[in-house]
Amino acid sequence: MLPTSVQTSSTIPLTRAALAIGRLDQRLRNHPLQSAILFRERLEAARACAAVDGHLIDPWHLAAELEGLKPRIVGENAYDRGNVIDAAKAAFDQYLWLTRPTSEQTTRLESALAALDNAAIANGPLLGAAQAFHRWIDVGRDRSSMRGALVRFWQESTVLHCPLPLVAARAFAGEAPWEPRRWTPLFLGCLADEAEAIERRTIAFEQAWRVARAQTRVQRRTSRARTALDLIAAFPVTSAFRLSELLGVSLKGAYLYLERFLADGLVVEVTHRSARRLFALKGLEPLRDAVAPPRRPLPGRKRGRPRRDAVEAGTFSAVDLAPPSDPSPSPEPIDYAALEEALAAADAAIARFRKVIE
């Protein structure tokens, strides 16, 4: 059991965390957009955990990787671009811990989950989670396994009814105190902050969905446009093939819906390409910005790697775009006047030499 001083100092943060998590759980239970919400919050949690561990990454860069898209690699030089790749790998590892742990990770999660269950018996799920996490780090174990265990623990203890990644990442920032009397309230406060931030993002996402449904053009009674829009909103990104299967229409019919929504500004296309396109509800524009467009040949450009400054700027100079020159240009005319003068001088010298001999 936690000391009395720790319990007293944690009363207000505990109450706030319990209320915030309860409101969030009530909002997300059986939510029609739960899959898309979980996708976004897992990205945010992976980003926050990686940032606390010293790896800064744009969550939409990770989203592009997860959806099989090629992300933009930005940086002034090879060192900066390498840092982006290293940060993306760290964030992806955090994402696996929170959502799809490997067999080795699952074994370590079980140990962390047992520590959480034991602490919750005496102090409840929230205070018990804080106590177990603090002890786990005190004995030199890693944060990632406990973070992944928390996702399962919230569900098994009925604190949450969906696998939402509430992990209080900010409680491990460099300036955070470590004494239990001060760290436990900080951990609970971070849980409350995360729950409130997720609720705000969820409300904004719901509003975007409702606005999109309201702006759907008037259709026939048999039209399935609103159903198609609901299916697009329920997934992070959707292809025409997936929409046709879920909606029970032809691939051409699914494309007609998507093109109509795209023209009305209700959805965005995130792949920058004309084939195998992926679409998302409006509000996921950052994913489109994080995806690198496919390489396309530029008219008039020769073979070979373009200049570095042109690639980084995304444009090419007039020289690059100029039509190719004649592959076999005619040579400039050669001036033989000096040679002719030298030959004439040689002939004159030979003639004088012959006269002397004779």
Side-chain angles (χ1 to χ4, degrees):
M1 181 176 294
L2 290 174
T4 305
S5 61
V6 175
Q7 292 182 347
T8 302
S9 62
S10 303
T11 301
I12 295 177
L14 175 62
T15 304
R16 178 170 167 251
L19 292 175
I21 294 173
R23 287 195 308 267
L24 180 61
D25 181 63
Q26 186 66 28
R27 179 177 290 277
L28 292 183
R29 189 179 301 187
N30 300 322
H31 199 290
L33 306 180
Q34 188 179 107
S35 297
I37 293 170
L38 285 176
F39 175 77
R40 297 188 69 173
E41 297 311 324
R42 285 165 174 168
L43 291 177
E44 178 59 26
R47 180 209 64 79
C49 293
V52 169
D53 293 342
H55 302 281
L56 300 179
I57 188 66
D58 181 359
W60 297 107
H61 181 111
L62 177 59
E65 293 275 10
L66 294 173
E67 292 299 326
L69 304 173
K70 184 179 180 180
R72 296 178 187 267
I73 305 296
V74 296
E76 294 294 331
N77 48 47
Y79 178 79
D80 292 339
R81 291 189 287 272
N83 285 339
V84 172
I85 295 173
D86 291 342
K89 182 181 182 303
F92 180 72
D93 289 341
Q94 293 294 332
Y95 186 88
L96 290 180
W97 279 105
L98 297 173
T99 58
R100 304 185 188 115
T102 62
S103 57
E104 179 183 353
Q105 291 173 344
T106 301
T107 303
R108 294 163 62 183
L109 285 178
E110 294 293 341
S111 178
L113 187 60
L116 288 168
D117 290 334
N118 292 334
I121 295 174
N123 297 299
L126 296 179
L127 274 176
Q131 178 190 30
F133 212 151
H134 193 278
R135 289 180 177 174
W136 186 265
I137 302 302
D138 254 352
V139 297
R141 297 187 180 181
D142 63 304
R143 304 171 187 170
S144 299
S145 55
M146 183 58 78
R147 289 166 177 162
L150 277 175
V151 179
R152 291 177 52 184
F153 175 71
W154 300 138
Q155 282 192 281
E156 293 180 5
S157 59
T158 67
V159 172
L160 290 169
H161 290 82
C162 63
L164 199 63
L166 282 177
V167 294
R170 194 166 51 84
F172 292 95
E175 67 277 5
W178 190 238
E179 300 83 2
R181 182 177 58 84
R182 299 175 60 194
W183 186 84
T184 300
L186 174 63
F187 178 85
L188 296 171
C190 290
L191 285 180
D193 292 341
E194 287 183 4
E196 291 169 355
I198 292 173
E199 186 175 17
R200 288 193 297 270
R201 288 191 290 267
T202 300
I203 292 173
F205 197 52
E206 290 172 350
Q207 290 175 347
W209 172 52
R210 292 194 182 99
V211 168
R213 295 183 90 250
Q215 291 179 353
T216 305
R217 297 176 183 176
V218 178
Q219 305 288 337
R220 298 187 305 272
R221 292 182 60 185
T222 57
S223 174
R224 309 187 67 182
R226 286 198 171 182
T227 305
L229 194 61
D230 293 344
L231 290 172
I232 295 171
F235 294 93
V237 292
T238 307
S239 64
F241 180 75
R242 174 190 278 182
L243 183 62
S244 67
E245 286 190 332
L246 295 174
L247 203 57
V249 299
S250 65
L251 186 61
K252 181 179 179 180
Y255 262 118
L256 289 176
Y257 281 125
L258 290 169
E259 292 293 347
R260 184 185 307 163
F261 296 154
L262 195 62
D264 292 343
L266 306 181
V267 301
V268 293
E269 192 270 329
V270 300
T271 47
H272 307 279
R273 60 195 184 198
S274 58
R276 299 187 298 278
R277 303 161 72 191
L278 296 176
F279 301 84
L281 188 67
K282 187 176 181 181
L284 297 183
E285 291 90 344
L287 177 58
R288 175 181 173 85
D289 297 336
V291 174
R295 294 182 179 179
R296 297 184 177 94
L298 294 175
R301 228 197 110 65
K302 299 179 182 179
R303 296 181 62 184
R305 180 179 296 179
R307 295 197 308 271
R308 176 184 170 187
D309 56 349
V311 174
E312 292 177 349
T315 58
F316 299 91
S317 65
V319 176
D320 294 317
L321 297 179
S325 57
D326 189 353
S328 56
S330 57
E332 296 182 1
I334 301 175
D335 186 5
Y336 292 100
L339 179 61
E340 290 176 354
E341 292 179 0
L343 291 175
D347 291 340
I350 292 172
R352 289 195 299 270
F353 180 72
R354 286 177 179 176
K355 288 181 181 180
V356 171
I357 294 175
E358 293 175 354

